[in-house]
Amino acid sequence: MALPKSALDKDLKKVVRLEEATYELSRSIAAPGLAIIFLLAVLLFMAGLAPVGPLSVFVIAGGVIAAYMALNIGANDVANNMGPAVGSRALPLGAALVIAAICEAAGAILAGGDVVNTISRNIVQPSESLAVLDFVLLMMASFLAAALWIHLATFLNAPVSTTHSIVGGVLGAGVAAAGMAAINWSMMSAIAASWVISPLMGGIIAAALLGFVKWTVLFRDEDRIEAAKRWVPVMIGLMAGTFAMYLSLKGFSRVWKPDALTVWALGAAGFAAGWWLTRPWVARRAATIENRRKHVAKLFTLPLIFAAALLSFAHGANDVANAVGPLAAIVAAAETGQAAPDKVALPLWVLLIGAMGISLGLALFGPRLIRTVGEKITKMDAVRAFCVALAAAITVLIASAMGLPVSSTHIAIGGVFGVGFLREVLANRGLSADGVKPRKVRAGDPDTLNKTPEEAIRRQSKRETRKLVRRRHVLTIAAAWVITVPAAGGLAAGIYVTLKIFLT
């Protein structure tokens, strides 16, 4: 006897839900499993590579902790780089993961040196009386605490800064091991200042870039296409010039150190090449689109992809320090027998652990946070996302060139807030977020029917002044700034004291 159609449909829906649940369960199990395999592989690799001596076991343990830290950085921090591109629908999630993984690894391997030195030896400067073992335990405690804190924050979907975490960990463990006098407070002051300045700079630059594009291209109702043919190559040239300057300063620093004049000349050459090479491409694309904002905005899709790749490269160069900076210090201490040696070597295999861990963490655990950054703070399109990515890249590159471990999380989110608040300002001054004047209330409109004039005007005014940025994220980020450094520092101090008691 055949089942009624309604009953059969219900049974089929149950089967589909069961299959979906099974798939999600398998993914939730596979990701931690692959992460554990990676940690075991690093353990075996370190066992065969660690220098022979009394501290070799700590070097091996440090390598595993560095790999664990890198996984968490990939899961938490890298989402900010690709979030705007994915949220604007310029890139599918899979392609974003591949591009980010390649560029993160390249940035970490080619240009990760200066910030690693800041983390590993410039924050804590202990006296000569500090034993080598105590210094090694200090570094182990600092980035184990940071990794645990970031793991907890990621599990709770909290937007904490991995840079704040590792700096707080080094600070807390350093105070527990060597006292307040061992901390380089001038460096800490510079780092703390950069935490405030960098998101503001990212937001201001992103808003300025978006405002420039709006007034030179998108608000030109009659000739948007002609304006785009003139100014889109300029924006691409700016991106190319920034990338050229960064490569000359950081990417080839191990074999070539150009002077300031050469760096600026390469930046100008990169700008000119980007502008000249993209003019024909923009002209061809412009010939196939209509003089409408959405059509013109599509010209920014390909530049956005390159801008996001640039930002990932910069992030790899800057934030690999959070994973391997303490490991580099442990290796140097084990090889030289000195606490906080004057020169911290950067073996390629140390950077490889950080690069591989960041890329794997992004692939396994990053998609959810990518969607959060790209969709839940403010609405994104290709133009806004391009401005956010380029502004964040410029800010991160400036900070990395200065050797400051700034928070790329706050820079990127600062850029998102910058474009969102600019849209609000335009809306409240009589222009919508897209540059179109809002419709006035007229008698007979559907919204005014069966309403008094006062109610209709109040409703229209509320719609015109709606908030285009979710305010709760401001409070969340502020809370993360306040909590992360003391939380990571207290946890690191506790881990250091525990290790000290256990080993003595």
Side-chain angles (χ1 to χ4, degrees), residues 80-82 84 198-199 201-207 209 242 307-308 310-315 318 384-400 406-416 419:
N80 303 292
N81 305 330
M82 286 294 171
S198 56
M201 185 185 301
I204 292 171
I205 293 174
L209 291 172
T242 302
L310 169 61
L311 182 57
S312 292
F313 184 94
H315 180 270
N318 194 72
R384 298 166 200 150
F386 173 81
C387 294
V388 169
L390 181 56
I394 293 172
T395 307
V396 171
L397 298 181
I398 292 172
S400 186
V406 297
S407 168
S408 60
T409 300
H410 293 158
I411 292 172
I413 294 179
V416 173
V419 300

Side-chain angles (χ1 to χ4, degrees), residues 239-438:
M239 180 185 66
T242 302
F243 193 38
M245 293 180 68
Y246 180 76
L247 281 179
S248 63
L249 279 172
K250 304 283 289 179
F252 306 108
S253 61
R254 298 179 187 178
V255 296
W256 181 46
K257 294 185 181 296
D259 55 29
L261 181 61
T262 303
V263 172
W264 282 106
L266 289 173
F271 173 85
W275 172 79
W276 183 73
L277 291 174
T278 56
R279 287 182 67 198
W281 173 80
V282 172
R284 288 194 301 269
R285 291 292 306 273
T288 63
I289 62 177
E290 300 178 16
N291 190 42
R292 298 172 57 189
R293 182 190 178 279
K294 290 184 178 180
H295 286 227
V296 173
K298 291 180 180 179
L299 295 174
F300 286 86
T301 299
L302 185 60
L304 167 60
I305 295 173
F306 281 100
L310 169 61
L311 182 57
S312 292
F313 184 94
H315 180 270
N318 194 72
D319 279 32
V320 70
N322 298 336
V324 302
L327 174 60
I330 292 173
V331 173
E335 291 178 345
T336 63
Q338 299 177 358
D342 294 334
K343 186 175 182 180
V344 176
L346 294 170
L348 181 60
W349 62 267
V350 172
L351 293 175
L352 282 174
I353 290 176
M356 293 175 62
I358 289 174
S359 299
L360 185 61
L362 167 67
L364 296 179
F365 308 107
R368 183 179 63 172
L369 289 178
I370 285 178
R371 295 189 180 96
T372 298
V373 173
E375 299 174 1
K376 294 186 178 180
I377 295 178
T378 192
K379 184 179 179 181
M380 282 288 167
D381 63 9
V383 178
R384 298 166 200 150
F386 173 81
C387 294
V388 169
L390 181 56
I394 293 172
T395 307
V396 171
L397 298 181
I398 292 172
S400 186
M402 296 171 62
L404 293 177
V406 297
S407 168
S408 60
T409 300
H410 293 158
I411 292 172
I413 294 179
V416 173
F417 278 121
V419 300
F421 284 126
L422 176 63
R423 296 174 64 219
E424 284 191 6
V425 170
L426 296 177
N428 294 333
R429 289 188 176 183
L431 291 173
S432 74
D434 297 332
V436 181
K437 291 185 178 181

Side-chain angles (χ1 to χ4, degrees), residues 9 13 49 72 94 105 137 174 204 258 274 280 282 288 301 325 367 371 433 438 452 472:
D9 289 342
K13 290 181 180 179
L49 193 67
N72 284 287
L137 294 180
I204 292 171
V282 172
T288 63
T301 299
R371 295 189 180 96
T452 65
R472 63 184 180 86

Side-chain angles (χ1 to χ4, degrees), residues 13 26 65 67 73 77 101 106 133 155 185 191 199 219 229 241 278 281 301 314 356 361 392 420 431:
K13 290 181 180 179
S26 64
I65 297 172
I73 291 174
D77 230 20
L133 178 60
F155 177 77
W185 292 109
I191 294 172
F219 288 176
K229 290 165 63 177
T278 56
W281 173 80
T301 299
M356 293 175 62
L431 291 173

